[in-house]
Amino acid sequence: MAEHSSEQPPSVEQTLGHLRAIDGGERAEQAAPMTLEDLYRTHRMRLVRLALLLVDEVATAEDVVQEAFAGLHRNWGGLRDSAAAIGYLRTAVVNGSRSVLRRRKTARDYTPPHAPNARSAESLAMLTAEHQAVVSALSQLPPRQREVLVLRYYGNLTEAEIAQAANISKGTVKSTASRALEALQKIMAGTTP
């Protein structure tokens, strides 16, 4: 039987930070890869995990990332420099995820709503119960709020980088993050014993 601790449970920010740490999300400042192949090898899985948190479906997340790399390949000659490529990819993944969510909404408008897709047993087994609760709560947030939190705590981006990736102002990033954290805490309070 589990003992009840008098300590306060970790905050939502701390839990999101733990998710980032599990994924290896600490920002590694390294020299920018020079080729598309290097970028693909280095950043593909991280971008898939980012897309997965936004679209909540592995196959769709992989498709979004594949489209982002295909777009980068088409525009490779037009890049300022190869260091700008990761920013291009991140923005393309966020925009591609938005498109997927818009298409889903349109499809739901024309067909009866169905139960959301359940996460795979493997992905759930990798998370602790606390992390599962945060991921579940994230999926209940409006898309813009989810984007901002995922980019901030999972992607470890600055407000300026989030504003650029999501194509919104820094002020909108701040206010959206604040509202999202408040909503996430309310959801978590309602789902935790």
Side-chain angles (χ1 to χ4, degrees), residues 15-16 18-19 22 126-136:
T15 303
L16 286 169
H18 291 305
L19 281 175
I22 287 171
M126 293 174 65
L127 299 174
T128 65
E130 179 181 304
H131 292 152
Q132 289 176 22
V134 171
V135 170
S136 175

Side-chain angles (χ1 to χ4, degrees), residues 6 9 17 19 23 25 30 45 47 67 78 83 100 105 107 113-114 129 140 161-162 165 174 189 191-192:
S6 63
L19 281 175
D23 184 57
Q30 57 183 339
M45 287 309 298
L47 291 168
E67 282 299 317
V100 164
K105 181 181 181 322
H114 58 282
Q140 296 176 43
E161 291 169 326
I162 295 169
K174 288 179 183 180
T191 59
T192 55

Side-chain angles (χ1 to χ4, degrees), residues 97-166:
S97 297
R98 283 181 181 166
S99 294
V100 164
L101 295 175
R102 275 192 303 271
R103 286 191 301 271
R104 281 184 188 168
K105 181 181 181 322
T106 301
R108 276 194 306 267
D109 288 345
Y110 291 109
T111 59
H114 58 282
N117 293 333
R119 299 179 74 78
S120 71
E122 294 83 14
S123 69
L124 290 175
M126 293 174 65
L127 299 174
T128 65
E130 179 181 304
H131 292 152
Q132 289 176 22
V134 171
V135 170
S136 175
L138 268 175
S139 69
Q140 296 176 43
L141 293 177
R144 175 64 53 91
Q145 289 182 1
R146 184 183 334 170
E147 283 176 9
V148 169
L149 287 185
V150 167
L151 290 171
R152 173 65 186 102
Y153 292 100
Y154 173 80
N156 198 26
L157 301 182
T158 65
E159 289 172 352
E161 291 169 326
I162 295 169
Q164 180 185 7

Side-chain angles (χ1 to χ4, degrees), residues 170-182:
K170 280 178 61 175
T172 302
V173 170
K174 288 179 183 180
S175 63
T176 301
S178 175
R179 284 192 308 273
L181 285 172
E182 184 178 320

Side-chain angles (χ1 to χ4, degrees), residues 17-95:
H18 291 305
L19 281 175
R20 182 177 61 237
I22 287 171
D23 184 57
E26 289 82 18
R27 187 173 292 209
E29 298 299 331
Q30 57 183 339
M34 297 305 291
T35 67
L36 187 59
E37 182 181 347
D38 291 337
L39 281 168
Y40 186 82
R41 254 186 280 130
T42 305
H43 296 286
R44 178 185 162 273
M45 287 309 298
R46 226 184 118 98
L47 291 168
V48 167
R49 287 187 290 265
L50 171 70
L52 180 60
L53 287 170
L54 296 172
V55 300
D56 203 30
E57 191 175 272
V58 175
T60 304
E62 289 174 343
D63 289 345
V64 166
V65 171
Q66 191 66 29
E67 282 299 317
F69 275 102
L72 178 61
H73 180 263
R74 286 189 298 272
N75 297 310
W76 187 256
L79 287 176
R80 298 185 307 269
D81 57 45
S82 60
I86 190 63
Y88 175 95
L89 287 168
R90 190 180 302 120
T91 299
V93 167
V94 170
N95 289 338

